[in-house]
Amino acid sequence: MTTIALPRGAALFERNARAHRSHFLIIFSGFFEPLFYLLSMGVGLGHFVGKVPGPNGELISYASFIAPALLATAAMNGAIYDSSSVFWKMKYMKLYDSVLSTPLGPIDVAVGETSWALFRGLLYAIAFLTTVSVLGHVHSAWAVLALPAALLVGFAFAGMGIAGATFMRTWQDFEFLNLVQLPMFLFSATFYPLSVYPGWLQVVVRCTPLYNAISLIRGLMLGVVGWYQLVNVLYLLLFGAIGVRIAERRVGKLLLR
Amino acid sequence: MNAAAELPLVHARGLIKRFDDLVAVDGIDFDVQKGEAFGFLGPNGAGKSSTMRMIGCVSPPSGGTLRVLGLDPVKNGADIRAQLGVVPQEDTLDLELTVRENMLIYGRYFGLGRKVVHERAERLLEFVQLEERLDSKVEPLSGGMKRRLTIARSLINEPDILLLDEPTTGLDPQARHVVWDRLHELKHRGATLLLTTHYMDEAEQLCDRLVVMDKGKIAAEGSPVELIRRYSTREVVELRFAAERPPDDLAARIDGLARRVETLSGRLLLYTDDGDRTAERVHELGVQAQSTLVRRSTLEDVFLHLTGRTLVDE
């Protein structure tokens, strides 16, 4: 199944690339958003905050602290943004109805859409990482691995995002997504260390996917790497794989009746 | 039908499709031979589209046997779909791509190489007379153009069978004729066409053989001419009345003038072998109809006879 799924899903990737050629600006917005956060919060607010303790307790500039978190969030947002297009393609454009009447199956749709979301996430990550390194917020050669890490984060959220999009009934339902996405962005140790929370809340935050994404990328960009990053990687891999699987089943259930 | 040794391209026995409590297709049998234009004629909700979707391997049968190109749609769905061309009831064109790109990308879904797809796209778009809209987006195209593009797209993989679900529903008369013209051309080239329709003129125009479907079952099977001969008379006299219902005693008065009489909203149909003569005799009886029309029998009459209802809701 999977041996033929990969090249077939690639046709859907090609379709998305063509469809986006005319509006590449949307892709740029995914790059500017984290940059604006970095400049306003990291540099502006950071002026008053001063130094904060990094993952190993060493004091670092506030901008260096939040830059990795913004990268992780950008990868998440990019992937989720794409998944909302899946909703539109499925419900209004009936794209997958035509795709499924060709040799492609639900798994090819899930793989094709996920890989496109990944590609977009990768573009954001490259642009953002280049910028922050120019601004001097990269502190270790491990930061090179932040790129594949961002890709992994994109995978985790793309799979789940596409799965989620298949449950949406109307555009209003996307408000629920915001309700999950925004608090996760604000509270997953993005803007301050986990240590500000009481013990039980730390455990809750550690279980969220974005916390794992931030923890992984922050470790790599600051050069504080340990076994814990491996846990993050496994978490994100599993989260994404479950998402792709759910997405495949949902597409099949909804369209192959 | 055809006792030739060749296996049918589509073979169904006792085919069933159920959605929860609803039985959409209720145990139908049919065979489609290579090179045939085979139709499913029936009103909305007769089970035509469900049958089409099962043949197109996008809807698993709930029971019975179905073989397409000798293969089982449940096990070999992707292999079968690779050999099918599908024109769905609702347009599913890619609104984010141009006319040409719709062809190219669709071809890529079949795993065809770029060069092959390019060459076929040009040829097929010319075939459906869209060569001047190659780089246009899909959205501004007229309904007829979208349909023609969908037909061109369905041919990109050079399919063994073309499935057309209500190919001209929603089109204006002129656009319908252009579509019919293209489908006739495909027929002449030896394509195997399967189509559903609730237009009797479409079925008469395009189908070599058809089944009349009603409430998930097949009511009759044959060529248009055979069906008309078997289930209707040569001619029909239509008496139209201004009132919703013709006068109550009328049916009794004209009894015996025709082989069979059907009463519809605002009109009476008299089935007879000699329309003019029957019309004359009705006139002699002094029946006050608003207008009288003598016409040939159509598949509409066949359907009416078989089910007691009209094809298109009145």
Side-chain angles (χ1 to χ4, degrees), chain A residues 38 67 126-140 143 221:
Chain A
L38 182 70
I126 291 174
F128 187 69
L129 204 59
T130 309
T131 313
V132 289
S133 66
V134 169
L135 293 176
H137 299 298
V138 171
H139 298 270
S140 158
M221 280 178 67

Side-chain angles (χ1 to χ4, degrees), chain A residues 175-208:
Chain A
E175 294 299 321
F176 291 109
L177 191 65
N178 277 338
L179 222 56
V180 177
Q181 212 175 336
L182 188 64
M184 212 155 55
F185 168 50
L186 293 174
F187 301 119
S188 297
T190 323
F191 296 108
Y192 42 77
L194 193 62
S195 55
V196 301
Y197 291 126
W200 66 270
L201 199 53
Q202 288 189 19
V203 176
V204 173
V205 173
R206 274 178 195 277
C207 291
T208 67

Side-chain angles (χ1 to χ4, degrees), chain B residues 20 40 47 51 71 73 80 92 119 122 137-138 189 203 211-213 258 263 272 296 304:
Chain B
D20 301 320
F40 295 90
T51 306
L71 300 171
I80 297 171
T92 58
E119 184 270 316
E122 297 249 322
K137 285 267 179 198
V138 168
R189 297 183 187 181
V211 289
V212 178
M213 279 190 85
T263 310
T272 169
R296 234 168 35 92
L304 187 64

